Amino acid sequence: GKVRAPTHIISTISDDRGEEPCYAGVPMSTIVEKGMGIGDICVMLCADHGPCVSGAHNTIVTARAGKDLVSSLVSGLLTIGPRFGGAVDDAARYFKDAYDRKLSPYEFVESMKKKGIRVPGIGHRIKRGDNRDKRVELLQLFARTHFPSTKYMEYAVEVEAYTLSKANNLVMNVDGAIGTLFLDLLAGSGMFTKQEIDEIVAIGYLNGLFVLARSIGLIGHTFDQKRLKQPLYRHPWEDVLYTK
Ligand code: ACO
Ligand code: LMR
């Protein structure tokens, strides 16, 4: 029989040995021809959100300190976490758990409050009930038009209605929209068992989408500052409250 030397690396995501590279066994041309991938829309919508957000701010300060592209990029990426852009996986986890346990929005939100945990995917620094996040609306429209089921996303909309009744800043944010939308994609595709979906959600892949997308904006901000020959950034004294 065949003698196979033990390998040092196992990889399941891509293979470049053939004539055409494959992603998870699917040839690249098939992906292009069939226009596969909801990921595209998330990447486009999350690529940037202006110079004032945490990530872009760090990147701009770093670029203006004369650092190189990679340093400026990672400086911005390092802000992605539970408050900023990195709440997608937790949103998927908590919303899935609440929906599957048939918790009403009231029961879900109030149980989180009791535990002292902010609902991931809810809340925004500048978006409000009367000034919704356009990205969330676009994602919802896309899902309602193309997905076989949007049960998790619609549940998140009900949760948002409840949180908005508590405070006007507690809107669904992009992390919440992407998290619940991917739950619907996984559950509606018919490709995964319940157990596999639980495993996928437990491991957590979705923050990666935000990281990937926002890298585009952060690279843009780095080059923008360099092109504009911006000097070293120093925060103005007037904007600091000095107390003893
Ligand atoms: N769930 C429950 N209550 C909340 C939430 C939430 N997600 N967000 C805010 N509140 C309430 C709390 O009562 C909070 O008081 P507390 O500090 O005693 O907990 C009160 O609103 C005031 O909150 P602020 O701190 O003023 O809200 P801020 O505007 O600073 O926070 C933020 C915005 C960080 C996004 C917050 O809403 C949050 O933590 N959300 C959950 C994490 C999340 O989804 N992050 C992704 C944001 S989108 C993005 O970054 C691309
Ligand atoms: C973003 O996409 O960066 C945001 O939603 C966060 C923000 O503060 O606008």
Side-chain angles (χ1 to χ4, degrees):
K2 272 188 185 172
V3 179
R4 183 87 167 85
T7 58
H8 296 94
I9 292 178
I10 302 175
S11 170
T12 63
I13 60 165
S14 62
D15 187 344
D16 65 324
R17 292 169 303 173
E19 211 173 283
E20 180 177 11
C22 291
Y23 291 155
V26 183
M28 258 181 188
S29 52
T30 314
I31 297 170
V32 175
E33 279 155 22
K34 294 196 172 164
M36 288 154 94
I38 161 76
D40 298 2
I41 182 171
C42 296
V43 169
M44 274 185 259
L45 295 179
C46 294
D48 199 27
H49 208 228
C52 303
V53 307
S54 308
H57 182 83
N58 257 22
T59 288
I60 288 171
V61 172
T62 309
R64 289 178 57 168
K67 299 295 295 268
D68 59 290
L69 169 65
V70 177
S71 306
S72 305
L73 169 64
V74 298
S75 160
L77 288 178
L78 287 171
T79 63
I80 297 177
R83 293 184 183 169
F84 169 66
V88 193
D89 282 310
D90 270 347
R93 286 183 192 119
Y94 281 103
F95 277 93
K96 180 172 189 310
D97 177 67
Y99 178 88
D100 292 353
R101 289 198 290 128
K102 300 191 171 32
L103 296 188
S104 69
Y106 169 85
E107 288 168 329
F108 173 40
V109 174
E110 295 305 325
S111 70
M112 294 290 277
K113 193 172 174 187
K114 265 193 204 132
K115 287 184 258 182
I117 304 172
R118 289 183 175 192
V119 181
I122 294 285
H124 199 274
R125 288 308 299 256
I126 55 167
K127 295 296 169 190
R128 295 287 177 263
D130 48 5
N131 171 30
R132 295 297 177 90
D133 191 327
K134 187 74 189 167
R135 298 168 296 178
V136 172
E137 292 179 343
L138 287 169
L139 285 167
Q140 290 175 341
L141 181 69
F142 183 89
R144 284 181 184 131
T145 318
H146 294 96
F147 284 15
S149 155
T150 50
K151 61 181 187 180
Y152 288 107
M153 202 197 71
E154 300 303 351
Y155 177 66
V157 171
E158 287 172 32
V159 170
E160 180 196 40
Y162 177 66
T163 53
L164 276 177
S165 73
K166 292 169 74 92
N168 202 23
N169 65 323
L170 297 183
V171 289
M172 194 194 310
N173 58 46
V174 271
D175 286 15
I178 295 175
T180 51
L181 195 139
F182 267 83
L183 286 177
D184 283 320
L185 200 62
L186 290 171
S189 71
M191 287 165 62
F192 306 100
T193 63
K194 264 182 180 304
Q195 197 191 337
E196 283 169 336
I197 296 176
D198 283 341
E199 252 172 43
I200 291 170
V201 172
I203 292 175
Y205 294 88
L206 302 174
N207 287 343
L209 264 179
F210 189 91
V211 173
L212 174 69
R214 193 50 61 92
S215 295
I216 297 171
L218 299 179
I219 291 170
H221 283 292
T222 305
F223 291 137
D224 194 33
Q225 295 305 305
K226 291 192 181 294
R227 180 177 63 87
L228 296 168
K229 298 191 175 27
Q230 289 298 284
L232 178 68
Y233 180 83
R234 196 175 199 281
H235 202 73
W237 282 324
E238 308 83 68
D239 194 37
V240 177
L241 174 65
Y242 290 94
T243 57
K244 282 196 195 157

